[in-house]
Each structure stands twice: as C-alpha cells, then as structure tokens.
Amino acid sequence: MEKENIIEVKDLHVDIKMLEGLLTPVRGVNFEIKKGETLGLVGESGCGKSITCKAILGINDKKCVPHGKIDFRTVDDKEIDLLSLDPKGKEIRDIRGKQISMIFQEPMVAFSPMYTIGNQINEATLLHITKDKKKAKEISMEVMRKVGIANVEKRYNQYPHEFSGGMLQRALIAMALVCNPKLLIADEPTTALDVTIQAQILELMKELQKEFNMAILFITHDLGVVAKMCDRVAVMYLGRIVESGDAETIYANPQHPYTRGLMGSVHKIGGKKDERLFSIEGTVPLAMNLPKACGFYDRCDARIEGLCDKAEPDLVEIEPGHQIACFNCPNAACQAQRAAAEARIKEEEARAAAEETEDKKGGKKRGKR
C-alpha cells in the first residue's frame, strides 16, 4: 500500500445468492484515494456505487458477500484489510463513524424521528471521543456551528421534522464530521436539495475538507457536481469501473462510449435552447447470470460484433493515470488487448468445432454398430 493512500480497494466483488441465480452487483472494482483527495464514483442508478461504498464500512445486507481486499491506513499508521474484520466486531466499530464516516442520500431516513438532532450527533461523540456528556455536547455544538447551523443552542434540542431539507443535510454532515474522519463517503448527499442549497452544501464540504484534510469518496450521477468537487473520476457501469482518470482529462477527452454518452447527456452552457440532449438507449441490465461479454454491449453504438459480445475488456492504461475498459479504442494498449481477445475467441471457436466434429464421428461409429 502506497504511503500517500488512505484507502485501496482491490478486486472487490459482492455476490448475492438468489433463487433465480447469482446476483453480482460489484464485479472486480479497483481504486485508491489519497489524503485530501476527492474521488468521484459516477454512474447510473443500479450500477453498484452504493453497494461498493457500504462494503467499505461493512454495512451491506448480510446477503451481500464481499470478496477481495480493502486496505485502509488507520490514524496510528497501520494497514488493515477491512474485509477481514467482523462486520459486527469491535475493530470495525472503532473505525466506522470515527475514521471513516458516511453521508447518506436521504437525511430524513438517516435521522431517527424519535430523538433530537443534538442527541444523535452526540452519539458518535460519546462513543469515540469522550464519555463526559458536557464536553461531548460542546464538541457536537461546535461542529454544528462549523457546518453553518445558526442558533445552535435551540437547534441542538430540536427534532428532525423541525429542520428544513438543507439544514437537515448540514446536520447530517455535522454528524459525519464530528469525529474528524480520515475518509468521508458522501453517497449523493445533495440529490434531494434544490440547486441553491446544493451549491451551498458542496462549497461547505470543500471548505471542511481543507480544514480537516480528509479524503472524500463522492458518489453521484450528476456530472456537474463531479466537475465542481472531484480531483479524479471513476466511471462505473454494471458493477465495474469502465474508465478512470483525473477529472480534467475525463471531461476533456472521454474515451469509453458510456462516458461519452454521459457527457453528451449534460446540457452545455451556451447551447441552443431547442437542442436535444443525447440519450443512451436502454437501461442497465440486471447483474445476474451475466454472459461472457462487455456489459455495455447491448447499448453501445461502437460495439464490435463477434468480439464485444464474446469477451469483456479489462482496464488498461492509455496515458498516465487514464484507464479505459474498451476494445474499440485506437490506443496501442487497447488494440493489443483486442488482438489477444480475438485470438482467444478464434482458439475457443476452433476447439469447439473440433469437439463437435469428434462428437459427430463418435455418433456415426455408434450408429454403424
């Protein structure tokens, strides 16, 4: 594990056994995040973003079985594979909420309506920082002030239903940051907010990141948010990362057909008012009993018949820091992967044809007898 990296996710798989077959919402995900860096995990709903992030914290449903490695560098500079820990054990509970925090999509769901906002923020403070209730309250109220909640003394004793959507989101950020985590996972934290409040929340998160020098894993399907927030981008489709690189490169030079489709679906400033936005046809398929093919094959306008429907490309580096999983790319690394896949397919087809011929010969001999 590199010294600069806070976390390294290596070949992460998540399997769910169902009556209809094996559901694989995450299939071989790899990424790393450095201290003070923001990685944007982008993709349509259902591509496996949230399950990937919940696997880091060990909070997926018990039916979800993770495989691979998630190496995390703790505050005392130790490397721990989070997947090796008991999801209900003391070790992961010492990390969860203290060193790695998460902002969930819906603040109204994240907060219990039965307890005050201050009580719920205080829970993490009392668990991880101090047992002194008076000091814990002071720490919690100070964090509430930092996230822009006015009249903290009153707000501390109010219930979630007494907060507006934007203020509730600020309270959720306060709850995530109260223990000064090394890594913050933000799962579409501004989805339910209007654009004005959204801009305020994003600016707040950037300011707090600088203050605490924390790493952020930012999950979203909003490319405008990614451009504002992220240093690097990983584009996810059907449980796999299909393109990754620094944000500037991905926006200026998207190479994967899916990434280009996502970019084309965003309204450009200065565009014609009657201009139609690009739309990717179809939907993300169910990640169950998948064939040996590119996951984007059915929706891709650049697919290669006889190749993309028979092999799945791996991520290859096409320039420093820029990776893509696609056969139809002029880059030498992609072309080498394509040639190897085509040779493998021909070999498999030749072997299958030879076996079929042998079976026919054996059938004729048995018929003569």
Side-chain angles (χ1 to χ4, degrees):
M1 186 175 182
E2 285 188 24
K3 192 75 175 176
E4 292 183 354
N5 292 339
I6 296 294
I7 192 167
E8 292 181 3
V9 176
K10 302 175 182 177
D11 197 30
L12 177 64
H13 291 73
V14 177
D15 300 334
I16 305 173
K17 288 185 179 179
M18 304 185 72
L19 293 175
E20 298 85 355
L22 186 67
L23 187 67
T24 53
V26 179
R27 306 181 297 126
V29 166
N30 294 274
F31 62 80
E32 67 283 330
I33 310 175
K34 293 177 171 59
K35 191 172 184 177
E37 181 183 52
T38 301
L39 173 68
L41 197 56
V42 183
E44 293 171 86
S45 297
C47 69
K49 305 186 300 296
S50 294
I51 289 181
T52 297
C53 295
K54 288 179 180 179
I56 294 172
L57 286 170
I59 57 174
N60 274 318
D61 188 274
K62 62 182 180 180
K63 292 181 180 178
C64 299
V65 181
H67 309 279
K69 286 189 74 178
I70 301 177
D71 290 331
F72 177 70
R73 191 177 296 282
T74 63
V75 288
D76 50 2
D77 209 33
K78 290 182 180 178
E79 292 177 19
I80 295 179
D81 178 9
L82 298 179
L83 290 187
S84 68
L85 304 180
D86 178 1
K88 295 182 180 180
K90 184 180 183 304
E91 283 185 283
I92 189 67
R93 282 189 280 114
D94 286 342
I95 293 172
R96 188 191 295 148
K98 181 180 181 182
Q99 300 188 49
I100 305 177
S101 291
M102 187 165 181
I103 303 172
F104 295 91
Q105 291 186 35
E106 296 290 344
M108 284 302 292
V109 176
F111 282 107
S112 169
M114 303 297 291
Y115 299 93
T116 64
I117 293 293
N119 182 288
Q120 295 181 68
I121 295 174
N122 234 18
E123 189 176 357
T125 315
L126 288 167
L127 180 64
H128 296 297
I129 299 177
T130 179
K131 299 298 180 185
D132 186 325
K133 291 184 179 180
K134 186 178 179 181
K135 188 176 180 182
K137 182 178 179 179
E138 290 174 359
I139 293 170
S140 298
M141 290 176 71
E142 179 58 29
V143 175
M144 289 175 71
R145 289 190 189 94
K146 281 186 177 180
V147 300
I149 297 176
N151 198 359
V152 170
E153 290 77 9
K154 178 184 176 182
R155 290 293 194 179
Y156 183 88
N157 294 307
Q158 288 185 327
Y159 290 84
H161 72 271
E162 298 179 270
F163 278 56
S164 67
M167 293 305 290
L168 203 57
Q169 193 69 52
R170 289 174 184 269
L172 193 57
I173 293 172
M175 188 163 65
L177 296 182
V178 71
C179 295
N180 190 10
K182 292 190 72 176
L183 173 64
L184 176 67
I185 301 172
D187 188 359
E188 305 203 27
T190 58
T191 299
L193 305 176
D194 64 61
V195 290
T196 305
I197 302 299
Q198 184 183 86
Q200 292 175 5
I201 294 296
L202 293 177
E203 197 59 42
L204 170 65
M205 288 181 68
K206 289 179 75 174
E207 290 172 5
L208 293 172
Q209 181 182 28
K210 288 180 182 177
E211 182 177 344
F212 292 107
N213 196 24
M214 65 185 172
I216 297 179
L217 176 55
F218 200 98
I219 310 164
T220 185
H221 56 264
D222 188 332
L223 293 169
V225 170
V226 172
K228 181 178 178 64
M229 286 294 297
C230 301
D231 302 301
R232 291 189 300 114
V233 181
V235 181
M236 199 168 179
Y237 185 81
L238 196 60
R240 299 183 76 225
I241 291 175
V242 295
E243 186 166 5
S244 68
D246 65 80
E248 187 176 341
T249 299
I250 296 293
Y251 274 80
N253 187 31
Q255 289 294 305
H256 196 280
Y258 180 61
T259 311
R260 292 199 297 266
L262 290 178
M263 296 296 179
S265 65
V266 178
H267 185 70
K268 308 287 191 302
I269 294 175
K272 298 177 181 178
K273 64 179 181 180
D274 58 346
E275 182 182 358
R276 289 181 65 87
L277 295 178
F278 179 79
S279 175
I280 303 173
E281 293 184 4
T283 56
V284 181
L286 185 66
M288 181 183 289
N289 304 325
L290 293 171
K292 192 177 181 180
C294 175
F296 194 55
Y297 170 76
D298 290 333
R299 307 175 68 191
C300 184
D301 56 6
R303 60 178 177 260
I304 303 168
E305 301 293 344
L307 175 60
C308 298
D309 55 337
K310 294 183 178 180
E312 189 166 33
D314 295 321
L315 270 177
V316 295
E317 192 167 60
I318 59 174
E319 58 181 318
H322 188 184
Q323 297 178 309
I324 178 178
C326 183
F327 291 125
N328 197 355
C329 173
N331 183 270
C334 293
Q335 289 301 304
Q337 182 177 216
R338 173 178 175 174
E342 287 174 335
R344 189 167 59 251
I345 291 168
K346 285 181 181 179
E347 186 179 321
E348 289 173 357
E349 288 175 346
R351 190 184 304 117
E355 289 175 358
E356 186 178 351
T357 302
E358 286 297 319
D359 288 343
K360 286 181 180 179
K361 286 181 180 179
K364 285 180 182 180
K365 288 180 181 178
R366 287 192 294 271
K368 288 178 181 179
R369 288 176 190 171

